[in-house]
Amino acid sequence: MKPEHAPRRAIIRDWMALPPEQRHSAEQAAAFALRSAATHSFDCAGDRPTRILTWLRPRIGRP
């Protein structure tokens, strides 16, 4: 299991807990990713907000 597994699950859970109108667009996901990168720490070879955004991308706009 990757060391980022637990933070990934927590971040996705936080995203899905938002009301649908707050997780409708890519801009909202990008802002959420920036906030999450500041509050969750995990090892990442690249940019943490970008990594978080890749986790959220399939869930943008989902009810």
Side-chain angles (χ1 to χ4, degrees), residues 12 15-25 28 55-63:
I12 291 171
W15 173 255
M16 295 305 290
L18 292 173
E21 62 273 1
Q22 291 183 6
R23 53 184 167 89
H24 184 64
S25 70
Q28 291 169 323
W55 299 338
L56 299 179
R57 194 165 285 125
R59 295 161 182 85
I60 295 172
R62 276 181 48 193

Side-chain angles (χ1 to χ4, degrees), residues 4-60:
E4 66 190 28
H5 185 72
R8 178 181 182 268
R9 288 179 52 98
I11 290 167
I12 291 171
R13 191 175 17 232
D14 291 347
W15 173 255
M16 295 305 290
L18 292 173
E21 62 273 1
Q22 291 183 6
R23 53 184 167 89
H24 184 64
S25 70
E27 292 80 18
Q28 291 169 323
F32 180 85
L34 286 173
R35 289 192 307 270
S36 294
T39 58
H40 296 279
S41 68
F42 57 91
D43 292 334
C44 180
D47 185 39
R48 283 196 336 223
T50 302
R51 179 65 165 223
I52 293 170
L53 197 53
T54 62
W55 299 338
L56 299 179
R57 194 165 285 125
R59 295 161 182 85
I60 295 172

